[in-house]
Amino acid sequence: MRTYAANLRRTFEAFPAGRGAIERQRNGYRLIVDPDEVDVFCFELERNAGREALTAGHLDGARELLERALARWRGPMLAGLPLGPVLTSRTITAEEERLLTAELLADIHLRSSRDDLAISLMREVVARHPLREPAYVLLMRALHERGDNAEALTVYDEIRTTLTTELGVGPGGNLEELRRSILTAMSRPGSGRAAVRVGGPDRARSLAGGAGMAVSAAPEHAARISPVDHLPRAVTDFVGRADVVSRLLAETRRVEERVPAVHIIDGMAGSGKTALAVHLARRLSDRYPDAALFIDLCGHGDKNRIEPAGALFTLLRQLGVPADRVPVEFDDRVELWRQELARRRAVVILDNAASSEQIMPLLPAEPTTVVLVTSRRRLSHPDAGPSRTLPVMSPQESVDLLRLSVGRDRVEAEPEAAAEVVRRCGYLPLAIRLAGARLAHRRGWRLADLAGQMADDAPVLRHLAQEEGTVTGAFAASYEPLPSSTKRVFRFLGLYPGSRFSTPAVAALTGLTIAEARAALDDLVDSNLAEDLDSTRYRLHDLMRQYSIELCSRTDSANDRRRGLARLFDFTVEAVLKVADLLEPGVIRSQVTHIPTVQLELFEAIGEPTADWLEAERMDLVAMVLSASESGFHQHCWQLARALWRFCYIRGYFEDIILTHRHGLEAAEAAGDIDALALMNNYLASAYVRTGNKQAALHHLTRSVDLSRNSRDLLNPARYRANLAAVYWWSGHLSESVKLGFECLRDYKVYGNIGGSILLPNLGLALSALGRYEEALRMHRLHLAWARTNSDNFHTLNALSHIGAVRLRMGDLPQAIRILLASLALRDRTGHRYAEAEVRNDLGIAYRGLGRLVEAQQEHELARKLSIGSGERHVEAAALNELGRTLLAQGRGGEAFEVHQEALRLATRIAHPHEQGRALAGLAEHFGRIDPAEARRHWERALAIFRRMGVPERFEAERRLAELTGATVVAAR
């Protein structure tokens, strides 16, 4: 993915407008695009502005805005792309909005006496959507107003034939009423362009409000029906949910003329399901004016649950049916309910449903009713369709909701604190309302005060209560009806250290089988107590997790909790070791001895162990190391850290190595395990080497050597001593590095087969830095031969990149490029990202040598970004220096000067002498053109560093300094 993102970034940045379009973030990448450059966003803005203009009575302005919005469409959305369910839903919604906009524009044309424009627009719509009745209504109206009644009736015949043939239904009420009106107008003497309207005077307002086309007038018996409204008072602080509302309104409009519109909305407790349903019902009241009904089915528990017969009695009474007219027999009661609904256009809210069986008898039979069902469980029925899960609010919607509770001034005065409060509330509407109420009654509090009280180490739930309303109470209503076994699983989920848990991990934590754990998780997902991410991993909402922790601490004993964690850590260590066996065959098991105690089926459920599995679980595995340390599972802690090391190293996750091995070091010390202490120090040093902290690296490696002096194991002490050569090389002590490297080679028998991977690359790097290229090439070739013999992809690509680097410095640029590209191709194939930034930087040097300056600049810039992402500051300094040289070759001296200055600051900060000297040399090149004295000073400083290190760059520095002073160059190669 990093390679794909890098290639995409280079493609974008080949154009000025694309610079910075792709940004690296903690867990991936983000596309940064101005919304004004995305046509669908522009369409939505212009469409909304047009509706607002129409509402204000500005027909011309509305027409202009809507025409501009429709002009942005140049064909189907995302044409030619394979779409999954999310994008398919998005494109359907966008297309529906496009059609509604076209119909609204046609209506404006009619009101402005532009019949021909409305006709052409609607003919285009019906040609593409031959079943879209609102478009036919507008087309018939336009034809009638132009005086072409015969053509209008022909259009009616076309849609009637299509509906009968394709769907087996007749035209809807709108079309039938319009046809009758046209026939009546034609029968009147002298009738011509008599205006025909459908839906009454509020029709345009409904369109402008986004509710879609108005429906037919009230039925003939409407005079005998008195409208009733039993909806709860709408919440005054309803905000957001615009996408959900628009989708549900569009779906209602799509089906309402054929079947009853039934929408099932599920979600976790406190997500705002009821508020959304009431809001939707109010939005639909103009189109369904006869009745607005509401009943709480009390589906949270068995005790107070409303049975269908009782619900029918309540609903019929809300419609005004006398109690003595409500049948006793259940089937008769259902039949009366459906007859009464068939006489009305009604909206019915069935709140807090327990199951699909509870709601099925309450559903209407005729397409005159919209039913909104809310539930904390996921419901599904063939006649009602699947549930639509309501997520938590977006961060901005959450802040808007908090603003309504505490006041605009308080939120705008502390925007960061407001964002933190809603984040601590998990963006859950109920929690935000309760937090807002708490602040509203404490005018002396700042938002920062509440945010501080809701910090990570504080129990948040106690701050989310007001009178009888609490988040805990809402959660308890979903938790209490669960079976006892599922309750226990939910409580133990609070113990899980990471943010996402798999079925095998839950089975290990709870001591259940895979089947039992999966059944419990399915029950929790159905109850919206847990979220199913991808059918293999699950997670808890932050507040739900806190509720789980509190329940577990009150209900389960400390011994039970500790046994659960022991099983989880035991399973996790062995699972990671199975992948480490592939990455470090023969090595990892010699350092980590672990005998799993959990059942074998848990590992079988994971499947074949791969590095991709580690990648997917990485963040949670790091959290697992920290949790094991905090919980006193010392052996599990350092073993898991060590098992993760090779994966993190080859993927460039050096900060993860530092974090996990620091805790592993503390755990090994607490356990009094000398061998584990030496291991942790050694592998912690490896990350410090890559991130540029040479003092820490030297300290930990020296500690490893000291700790292992009396060890009966000869291999690990030798390994630690060999690693010192890498630290010496990085620190600029090249001669010491080479000397130690050759000493270790003489003890090759101690290392056995793995000596080729430990000794050869480090020695080759030090020799190359000293300019001893032939010797370096020999070491790297031996390393490559070892890697190929042992079928080790990581060492193969590493050896190739080192050989390419030596070839580059020997001047064989085409060969160097071929080898470096081969190394990158192997990285792409295997997923190993280790040292990719260095390879990219070397590739840029080779391109510059061949005069391919644009490609060189791109590689240096990519190398810099990769090094920043992996925390390799010494590689970043090298990339900056090479970028400066390439910019100078392009004639961009001023930019080159700034880049070399940045390189010098970074190299000085991390005490990297080689890159310090190279940055000074780059600055001297710049001053050589404008200030010889300053150039001489910089060359002298660079030469002092190069001489001390003994690197080949000293010869060039001596020559350039001699040119400035007129001296004779004494030194020779």
Side-chain angles (χ1 to χ4, degrees), residues 709-776:
R709 288 191 188 281
N710 299 321
S711 175
R712 287 175 293 181
D713 174 23
L714 299 178
L715 178 56
N716 277 331
R719 186 195 309 271
Y720 307 150
R721 186 163 173 260
N723 286 338
L724 277 173
V727 179
Y728 288 153
W729 165 75
W730 186 89
S731 303
H733 303 296
L734 302 180
S735 298
E736 292 89 335
S737 178
V738 170
K739 179 181 177 182
L740 179 57
F742 278 118
E743 288 177 1
C744 292
L745 270 183
R746 284 193 287 272
D747 297 332
Y748 190 85
K749 290 183 179 180
V750 176
Y751 295 89
N753 183 49
I754 67 170
S757 64
I758 297 175
L759 305 176
L760 296 172
N762 290 340
L763 180 54
L765 289 171
L767 288 168
S768 179
L770 287 170
R772 296 162 63 175
Y773 298 128
E774 293 294 345
E775 295 174 86

Side-chain angles (χ1 to χ4, degrees), residues 694 731 874 877-878 881 900 903-923 938 941-943 945-946 948-949:
K694 68 173 184 179
S731 303
H874 64 295
N881 275 324
H900 282 304
L904 180 59
R905 285 193 294 268
L906 177 58
T908 302
R909 187 164 65 249
I910 65 174
H912 195 298
H914 197 191
E915 296 306 330
Q916 281 181 274
R918 297 180 71 245
L920 289 166
L923 293 172
H938 280 76
R941 292 174 62 193
L943 180 57
I945 293 173
F946 294 151
R948 186 168 64 249
M949 294 181 64

Side-chain angles (χ1 to χ4, degrees), residues 89-265:
S89 174
R90 181 64 193 265
T91 56
I92 291 172
T93 301
E95 178 65 21
E96 179 66 19
E97 288 298 328
R98 174 190 184 183
L99 295 174
L100 289 172
T101 302
E103 291 161 0
L104 181 57
L105 179 59
D107 185 73
I108 292 173
H109 286 327
L110 288 173
R111 294 161 72 180
S112 305
S113 300
R114 293 181 171 88
D115 306 333
D116 290 339
L117 293 178
I119 290 171
S120 62
L121 183 59
M122 288 300 98
R123 283 202 184 278
E124 180 182 352
V125 171
V126 299
R128 294 198 309 270
H129 303 274
L131 296 176
R132 191 166 182 85
E133 295 183 58
Y136 278 97
V137 170
L138 286 164
L139 179 56
M140 288 174 64
R141 276 187 54 203
L143 290 167
H144 168 74
E145 296 211 11
R146 192 174 66 176
D148 196 348
N149 291 324
E151 180 62 19
L153 294 175
T154 300
V155 168
Y156 171 85
D157 290 336
E158 290 175 0
I159 181 60
R160 181 186 62 183
T161 301
T162 302
L163 289 171
T164 303
T165 303
E166 297 292 330
L167 304 177
V169 299
N174 284 357
L175 285 165
E176 288 290 358
E177 181 193 1
L178 181 55
R179 172 178 171 274
R180 288 195 298 269
S181 298
I182 292 174
L183 290 172
T184 301
M186 292 173 65
S187 65
R188 293 195 191 105
S191 63
R193 294 169 55 98
V196 176
R197 294 282 174 181
V198 179
D202 289 336
R203 179 178 178 280
R205 179 168 59 83
S206 297
L207 281 169
M213 183 70 67
V215 298
S216 61
E220 295 177 0
H221 56 265
R224 294 183 284 108
I225 296 176
S226 299
V228 294
D229 185 346
H230 292 275
L231 294 181
R233 183 178 62 85
V235 292
T236 58
D237 55 357
F238 188 88
V239 297
R241 306 298 195 187
D243 289 345
V244 178
V245 170
S246 63
R247 283 198 298 269
L248 290 173
L249 289 174
E251 180 65 16
T252 301
R253 176 66 190 89
R254 187 177 67 83
V255 304
E256 64 184 351
E257 294 297 331
R258 303 191 303 274
V259 295
V262 179
H263 304 299
I264 303 176
I265 306 166

Side-chain angles (χ1 to χ4, degrees), residues 3 97 117 122 160 275 289 353 399 442 447 473 516 528 561 654 687 783 846 867 869 876 928 972:
T3 301
E97 288 298 328
L117 293 178
M122 288 300 98
R160 181 186 62 183
V399 171
R442 292 164 174 81
L447 270 72
E516 291 168 339
N528 278 293
R561 298 198 299 269
F654 303 116
H783 181 208
S867 64
E876 182 187 357

Side-chain angles (χ1 to χ4, degrees), residues 6 53 81 156 183 272 305 363 406 408 555 602 607 616 728 766 850 873:
L81 296 180
Y156 171 85
L183 290 172
R305 183 176 300 175
L363 299 184
V406 304
R408 178 179 299 273
T555 308
L602 303 190
Y728 288 153
L850 295 176
R873 293 176 293 175

Side-chain angles (χ1 to χ4, degrees), residues 375-653:
S375 177
R376 295 187 184 181
R377 298 186 61 85
R378 290 186 176 178
L379 309 182
S380 182
H381 193 283
D383 294 337
S387 297
R388 183 184 299 273
T389 301
L390 186 65
V392 296
M393 303 184 87
S394 70
Q396 185 56 55
E397 289 175 336
S398 300
V399 171
D400 291 342
L401 180 57
L402 183 66
R403 181 183 294 113
L404 289 173
S405 299
V406 304
R408 178 179 299 273
D409 292 343
R410 295 177 74 180
V411 170
E412 291 182 352
E414 298 179 86
E416 293 181 0
E420 182 65 11
V421 167
V422 298
R423 187 181 74 82
R424 295 293 178 188
C425 290
Y427 308 116
L428 189 68
L430 174 61
I432 296 168
R433 288 194 179 98
L434 292 172
R438 187 175 177 84
L439 282 166
H441 288 88
R442 292 164 174 81
R443 303 301 301 177
W445 280 19
R446 296 178 305 125
L447 270 72
D449 297 329
L450 181 58
Q453 294 180 25
M454 299 171 72
D456 282 325
D457 55 350
V460 174
L461 290 176
R462 68 181 181 85
H463 297 287
L464 304 177
Q466 187 71 18
E467 297 181 356
E468 297 300 318
T470 68
V471 171
T472 300
F475 290 170
S478 296
Y479 167 80
E480 291 299 339
L482 295 173
S484 58
S485 59
T486 305
K487 285 182 177 180
R488 179 175 176 273
V489 171
F490 176 74
R491 296 194 304 271
F492 270 58
L493 290 179
L495 300 175
Y496 189 80
S499 60
R500 305 177 307 162
F501 39 88
S502 64
T503 304
V506 173
L509 179 65
T510 56
L512 300 175
T513 65
I514 290 291
E516 291 168 339
R518 184 177 291 117
L521 287 169
D522 286 343
D523 208 6
L524 292 175
V525 169
D526 287 343
S527 301
N528 278 293
L529 289 169
E531 182 181 355
D532 185 348
L533 296 178
D534 57 7
S535 77
T536 62
R537 292 180 180 84
Y538 306 80
R539 71 178 175 195
L540 293 181
H541 183 275
D542 289 347
L543 295 182
M544 197 68 76
R545 176 181 171 81
Q546 291 186 36
Y547 178 59
S548 170
I549 292 171
E550 291 183 5
L551 282 176
C552 192
S553 64
R554 293 200 309 264
T555 308
D556 302 283
S557 70
N559 286 335
D560 283 345
R561 298 198 299 269
R562 187 165 183 82
R563 281 194 292 268
L565 285 175
R567 289 190 301 265
L568 175 64
F569 293 145
D570 193 46
F571 160 74
T572 304
V573 169
E574 184 61 26
V576 176
L577 281 172
K578 289 181 179 297
V579 184
D581 280 335
L582 303 176
L583 302 177
E584 300 180 84
V587 176
I588 185 64
R589 294 290 182 173
S590 69
Q591 298 179 347
V592 177
T593 303
H594 181 262
I595 301 175
T597 59
V598 294
Q599 57 265 40
L600 182 61
E601 72 156 350
L602 303 190
F603 304 109
E604 294 174 346
I606 296 177
E608 191 69 24
T610 64
D612 289 339
W613 177 78
L614 284 185
E615 185 69 63
E617 301 285 343
R618 178 175 66 90
M619 299 299 293
D620 285 351
L621 291 172
V622 171
M624 201 86 69
V625 175
L626 274 57
S627 177
S629 173
E630 294 167 359
S631 306
F633 289 89
H634 303 308
Q635 186 174 19
H636 289 96
C637 175
W638 74 257
Q639 287 184 337
L640 184 54
R642 172 61 188 93
L644 285 169
W645 173 80
R646 171 66 77 175
F647 166 78
C648 291
Y649 195 73
I650 63 180
R651 295 289 174 102
Y653 299 129

